[in-house]
Amino acid sequence: MARIERRTVLQFAALAAATPWVVNVLRTESAAAGNPEVAAPSPGVDAAFAFLDGLVPLAPPVLPGAPAPVASRALPRSYSRGYLESIGFDVAFSYDCALVVLAYLARGTADDVQRATTIGDVLVSLQESDPELAGRIRNSYIASVSVDDAGRPQIASHAATTGNQAWVGIALLALHATVDDDRFLVAALTLARAVVVTSFDDRGLPAFSGGRGEDGRVLSWRSTEHNTDCYAFFSALARVTADQEWADRAADARTFVESLWRPEEGYFLVGTIDDGVTPNVHPIAEDAQTWTYLALRDPAYAGSLDWAAEHLAAHDGDVHGVTVCHVASTDKVWLEGTAHLAAALTVRATETGDASGDLARAAALLDSVWVAQASSPHADGLGIPSASSDDLDSGFGDLVYASLHTGSTAWAILAALGANPLAVVR
């Protein structure tokens, strides 16, 4: 499967320089109940929010009698400091923006909600002003001016892959639930319908293919990760709208994901090759293990977390965690994936009564994240880097850098708050 442009930055791209549903970015049941075994958030969480706040300024107050200010046209820049900033990589990835929205809503102060809404407003404007994509969102935009004065999107990547659509949809639904603004629900429905029209694929098991590539071509492979995202997104839509279509589409995505479970090995395959049917057996990716558990929360697949912790273990000085896949570098730590795993272990602890000591394991992983926050090569004491050191070979033909990353920062916040952005209410 071709790796999508999302978490990591390809070198060539860098050089081109009902009850209303509330997304369970909510605390896990255990954390929400005040379980004393769930540790209080580290001071690193406040610092991480401060990093995001610096990228998402609050809108100025509206004075009595004055016109409302023009909404920000910017999105939070995905990477700061280090190599990526040095080459002027001024890009906001849609997936990262969705995670920042979800992190803000997980804490949910008035300022947090305002900042999340500001991002959501820009994403909806981008969707509405891009007729070529007919309701979809690009993988990335120019961060500093994502929408120009004429309302046109300032595009960094012309790709529009399926998983990114689902993550943005999840964030839009979370905003709708929080601020009760139908604009966000309409945008989420538009996005979902566009995904079905462009990516629904009935070769073999019905599911969703990769979406649109950088050159506009259809990506015919199918991804475990993408379909996990679609399962969470469409399940949420089904709850909000009571429309059976979305429950059916969610079931399609889940059945496909479950077909890629390999019980003898204890992991999920990454997806299929281009024919949409033949399993892709190489490499084995971290997020295909952690995100599936966060979404499915099924004991039958709980071993995927143990497989990831054991087989993807990585170490870089005092920083310990996991890497991207089983053929990636293990002498550098992928901090985003380490936070995924911490979040998933925390969720599993609430499901099992912490029978495996998952809370302690999650806390140890987050401790390493906070070490990297303070001491990585480009640390500012606030943001979380994507990798513990530069040039982590992802195993997918690209490199991950130690630049500070909104996605890694948001995942660390979610894990520390005991939040599950992919939770499906059962």
Side-chain angles (χ1 to χ4, degrees):
M1 182 184 80
R3 193 62 171 168
I4 62 173
E5 176 196 4
R6 188 176 57 82
R7 299 176 303 274
T8 53
V9 181
L10 298 178
Q11 289 175 292
F12 73 80
L15 294 173
T19 298
W21 169 71
V22 178
V23 71
N24 269 344
V25 227
L26 301 174
R27 311 293 171 83
T28 61
E29 292 87 342
S30 177
N35 184 334
E37 295 183 8
V38 179
S42 160
V45 174
D46 290 336
F49 273 116
F51 173 74
L52 297 181
D53 290 350
L55 297 168
V56 190
L58 286 171
V62 180
L63 299 176
V70 177
S72 168
R73 298 184 179 91
L75 289 171
R77 177 177 179 167
S78 287
Y79 294 94
S80 303
R81 295 195 168 205
Y83 171 69
L84 293 176
E85 183 167 308
S86 76
I87 63 169
F89 193 69
D90 180 30
V91 170
F93 287 86
S94 301
Y95 159 80
D96 293 331
C97 293
L99 283 171
V100 173
V101 168
L102 295 168
Y104 275 129
L105 296 182
R107 186 172 66 174
T109 69
D111 284 353
D112 291 338
V113 172
Q114 184 178 343
R115 286 185 163 99
T117 302
T118 296
I119 297 170
D121 285 338
V122 177
L123 289 170
V124 174
S125 295
L126 289 164
Q127 180 192 48
E128 293 172 343
S129 58
D130 196 348
E132 180 187 349
L133 283 191
R136 287 176 292 171
I137 294 288
R138 308 278 178 170
N139 278 8
S140 61
Y141 299 90
I142 302 302
S144 53
V145 184
S146 300
V147 184
D148 69 15
D149 289 340
R152 293 181 297 255
Q154 300 299 289
I155 298 166
S157 168
H158 290 270
T161 48
T162 300
N164 290 322
Q165 313 307 307
W167 274 104
V168 171
I170 290 166
L172 292 172
L173 289 176
L175 279 166
H176 168 66
T178 302
V179 302
D180 195 24
D181 185 337
D182 285 345
R183 184 181 181 218
F184 294 128
L185 176 57
V186 170
L189 281 165
T190 300
L191 195 59
R193 292 177 183 128
V195 168
V196 172
V197 168
T198 60
S199 301
F200 184 71
D201 179 2
D202 60 2
R203 295 173 297 168
L205 290 172
F208 298 90
S209 59
R212 170 192 165 115
E214 184 66 34
D215 58 0
R217 70 185 176 90
V218 174
L219 302 174
S220 59
W221 42 261
R222 300 198 285 185
S223 161
T224 302
E225 175 208 313
H226 287 196
N227 280 274
T228 298
D229 307 338
C230 285
Y231 169 63
F233 178 32
F234 294 149
S235 294
L237 268 180
R239 292 194 299 278
V240 173
T241 65
D243 186 335
Q244 185 61 36
E245 175 190 0
W246 302 119
D248 291 343
R249 298 291 77 78
D252 289 336
R254 178 171 184 145
T255 298
F256 172 78
V257 168
E258 291 178 327
S259 76
L260 292 163
W261 173 244
R262 296 297 179 265
E264 298 82 4
E265 294 84 2
Y267 57 66
F268 284 92
L269 297 177
V270 73
T272 74
I273 63 174
D274 285 344
D275 66 10
V277 177
T278 305
N280 185 349
V281 299
H282 182 90
I284 311 303
E286 189 274 347
D287 52 14
Q289 317 314 318
T290 51
W291 290 10
T292 48
Y293 187 78
L294 286 167
L296 304 181
R297 291 184 295 154
D298 187 326
Y301 311 121
S304 65
L305 304 185
D306 302 311
W307 184 92
E310 177 181 355
H311 294 275
L312 303 182
H315 310 278
D316 185 359
D318 292 333
V319 180
H320 309 281
V322 292
T323 191
V324 180
C325 72
H326 84 288
V327 294
S329 303
T330 57
D331 60 346
K332 301 175 178 68
V333 175
W334 184 37
L335 276 307
E336 182 190 341
T338 299
H340 298 167
L341 182 56
L345 289 169
T346 300
V347 169
R348 191 172 73 174
T350 69
E351 301 284 325
T352 65
D354 200 23
S356 302
D358 285 337
L359 290 175
R361 298 167 69 191
L365 291 171
L366 282 175
D367 283 346
S368 268
V369 171
W370 308 136
V371 169
Q373 181 186 47
S375 62
S376 66
H378 313 298
D380 67 352
L382 304 174
I384 309 299
S386 189
S388 58
S389 298
D390 281 326
D391 299 332
L392 189 165
D393 183 344
S394 74
F396 287 97
D398 56 343
L399 300 176
V400 188
Y401 299 99
S403 293
L404 308 183
H405 180 209
T406 53
S408 299
T409 303
W411 267 112
I413 289 169
L414 291 166
L417 294 182
N420 180 358
L422 291 167
V424 175
V425 175
R426 296 178 297 188

